[in-house]
Amino acid sequence: MRIALIGTGYVGLVTGADFACRGQHVMCVDIDTLRIDRLRRGVMPFYEPGLPERVAEAVSGGHLTFTTDAAAAIRDADVVMCAVGTPTGEDGRADLSSVFAVADAFAQHAKDGAILVNKSTVPVGTAEACRARIAAAASNLRFAVVSNPEFLSQGTAVRDTRNPTRIVVGTTEQWARDILRVVHASFIEDHVPYLEMTPRSAEAVKCAANAFLATKISFINEVANFCERAGGDVEDVARAIGLDPRIGPHFLRPGIGYGGGCLSKDVRALMASGDEVGYVFRLLPAVEAVNEVQKWYLYDRLARAFGGVSGKTVAVWGLSFKPGTDDMRNAPSVPFIRRLLDEGAAVRAFDPVAMEQARMRIPEVALAETAIDAARGADAIVILTEWDEFKEIDFSPLSQAFSGSVVVDGRGVWRARSLPTTWRYIAVGVDK
Ligand code: UGA
């Protein structure tokens, strides 16, 4: 099977490499010439554990190539996979211009019997809209448009793609279903749950899944805020409720809220899609509102510890929106740091992998070479990403460098550790 994969972001590159390792012939396409040149030299466009090795394996197996020539890749392909970005537009709706550009290129160049598979996260009805565009532009072409959402998470993308929890294929055309089963044959042999449904259902699955994950996080954050006032330890509560299989243990980690390019975007896109069909979600605005204020609860506790942050030096540990990635899109660290600076604090920040990103996104902040350097002489340490390096840090050199006493743990990484007695520990859902 020949696959053209359009877009070399997290979804395109990781799934392209995975399909190639499974023996499909994959051509990854991007309009960014520099990115394609670098990929040909084995240089990844972003940090993702295991990806350089997976891409190298696919390339050395002779099944993965890179190009900027979308027309040639599409002409050659049995299946064209679309993995381009769908950023949030000003009205909260997903901006589909890149998806439609792929559909237009498909209409112009695809061979008879080709299938356009959409892996980008899109609103319900996008497959039908693509189908109509292609049919209008290429009336004699026999083709199908399939919705095939992707569920990988950044930081574990390679593993998630190798061992998916499920594969969702949305099409009403039997011949397209048959071809998609061939594309996914190795997963089906491995008994990965394989769900066939309509394109509209498949599109709804993706937004609903992310909205549910966001809901779990906002829920546990509210319970944490409650425990803080009422007494009780949210971690104990989360562990105990998570053992109920109807609730499940995942995504019940309290903290400063969810960030990244997906959860918030998809919650908003689902609300915007609801508006379009005359349905007003009541739950989702609250999920977003809880998330928006969550980081400020902790900020306020930090500010209260000093009677205001002005003139204080704050070490911020962790800039990426979660561990395992250098992605800072919607990272709580950015507004948190900006507010510290606005209110007169000096900030020294450190992240194990996101320093390059930080230089671009928050050029106004001073960066330290190591976590301990950031903490040296600071009044407070604030942990915003749960990197293992922070979790496991040796307190003895740290307490020599850190002269302050306030520790704000936005991800609960030190809850189980015994801290030096002179430190005041502030974390979500606990007042230790
Ligand atoms: C999310 C989904 O988890 C993926 O299934 C989906 O495919 C992806 O979006 C996507 O749409 O492409 P991702 O954005 O990589 O993946 O990150 P998550 O692991 O979902 O974490 C999102 C945020 O929630 C992070 O800031 C994380 O720190 C936070 N989080 C997560 C919590 O605060 N508590 C938790 O218990 C779990």
Side-chain angles (χ1 to χ4, degrees):
M1 200 65 68
R2 303 196 83 81
I3 300 175
L5 229 156
I6 319 285
T8 57
Y10 290 95
V11 172
L13 194 52
V14 176
T15 52
D18 191 80
F19 276 125
C21 288
R22 289 165 192 273
Q24 315 283 12
H25 292 275
V26 181
M27 196 171 266
C28 276
V29 183
D30 207 292
I31 48 172
D32 184 338
T33 326
L34 184 64
R35 182 176 275 226
I36 291 296
D37 277 350
R38 290 167 64 118
L39 278 166
R40 284 184 179 137
R41 285 185 278 117
V43 180
M44 298 300 111
F46 44 79
Y47 175 82
E48 183 62 43
L51 184 58
E53 296 80 1
R54 193 70 170 152
V55 168
E57 184 188 339
V59 170
S60 66
H63 288 117
L64 179 63
T65 49
F66 300 100
T67 183
T68 51
D69 189 348
I74 293 172
R75 259 196 304 274
D76 210 29
D78 305 299
V79 171
V80 176
M81 293 189 174
C82 171
V84 295
T86 53
T88 307
E90 276 179 14
D91 52 2
R93 288 175 207 192
D95 174 353
L96 293 178
S97 45
S98 299
V99 171
F100 288 148
V102 172
D104 294 347
F106 181 92
Q108 210 182 336
H109 304 293
K111 64 183 180 191
D112 217 40
I115 299 178
L116 177 59
V117 172
N118 187 26
K119 291 185 106 39
S120 300
T121 302
V122 291
V124 173
T126 304
E128 282 169 18
C130 289
R131 194 184 157 60
R133 272 177 103 92
I134 298 165
S139 51
N140 295 323
L141 185 69
R142 191 172 86 95
F143 71 98
V145 179
V146 174
S147 167
N148 174 218
E150 180 51 57
F151 304 107
L152 61 81
S153 292
Q154 288 170 234
T156 53
V158 173
R159 195 182 69 204
D160 295 347
T161 308
R162 291 181 86 152
N163 309 296
T165 49
R166 73 285 204 199
I167 292 171
V168 171
V169 172
T171 174
T172 45
E173 314 230 27
Q174 190 53 48
W175 70 272
R177 275 192 188 152
D178 292 343
I179 290 177
L180 266 288
R181 280 187 206 156
V182 175
V183 170
H184 292 111
S186 58
F187 295 102
I188 295 170
E189 273 162 30
D190 286 346
H191 307 289
V192 173
Y194 190 81
L195 308 171
E196 294 173 324
M197 57 187 74
T198 67
R200 281 183 174 259
S201 302
E203 286 161 347
V205 167
K206 176 63 198 255
C207 279
N210 275 357
F212 188 71
L213 294 173
T215 304
K216 283 188 95 172
I217 298 169
S218 279
F219 175 81
I220 202 65
N221 281 337
E222 288 231 271
V223 174
N225 299 340
F226 166 76
C227 282
E228 216 168 279
R229 287 158 185 76
D233 185 329
V234 66
E235 296 262 331
D236 290 338
V237 177
R239 201 172 321 117
I241 65 173
L243 285 171
D244 182 333
R246 294 169 302 174
I247 296 173
H250 305 292
F251 274 64
L252 290 178
R253 269 184 291 113
I256 47 165
Y258 53 80
C262 304
L263 295 197
S264 195
K265 170 177 142 260
D266 290 353
V267 171
R268 286 182 208 184
L270 193 52
M271 290 193 278
S273 294
D275 288 344
E276 275 174 23
V277 294
Y279 183 75
V280 178
F281 282 94
R282 291 181 179 79
L283 184 61
L284 300 183
V287 169
E288 273 286 277
V290 169
N291 195 58
E292 178 49 34
V293 297
Q294 188 62 19
K295 55 188 163 297
W296 303 131
Y297 281 122
L298 218 59
Y299 185 97
D300 290 344
R301 288 174 71 194
L302 167 69
R304 273 203 306 277
F306 293 119
V309 298
S310 179
K312 301 293 169 195
T313 299
V314 180
V316 173
W317 286 9
L319 301 170
S320 59
F321 82 96
K322 66 181 224 182
T325 180
D326 60 352
D327 194 344
M328 287 178 63
R329 282 175 297 167
N330 288 326
S333 62
V334 176
F336 202 99
I337 287 174
R338 292 224 165 100
R339 185 162 165 201
L340 281 170
L341 293 172
D342 283 351
E343 296 186 355
V347 175
R348 273 204 306 267
F350 171 76
D351 188 283
V353 303
M355 301 296 260
E356 194 83 358
Q357 287 292 320
R359 274 184 204 104
M360 288 185 295
R361 287 187 182 258
I362 35 172
E364 65 274 34
V365 75
L367 299 173
E369 293 281 308
T370 64
I372 294 203
D373 279 349
R376 199 176 305 282
D379 298 294
I381 297 173
V382 176
I383 303 172
L384 298 182
T385 316
E386 63 274 39
W387 288 101
D388 284 345
E389 168 178 344
F390 304 154
K391 268 186 213 167
E392 292 153 11
I393 201 149
D394 184 346
F395 285 147
S396 121
L398 177 60
S399 48
Q400 276 172 20
F402 176 52
S403 49
S405 60
V406 175
V407 173
V408 177
D409 185 352
R411 300 293 185 181
V413 298
W414 288 348
R415 291 173 61 111
R417 294 191 63 181
S418 336
L419 307 184
T421 49
T422 49
W423 291 1
R424 169 150 179 229
Y425 181 72
I426 299 173
V428 176
V430 73
D431 202 358
K432 217 165 153 175

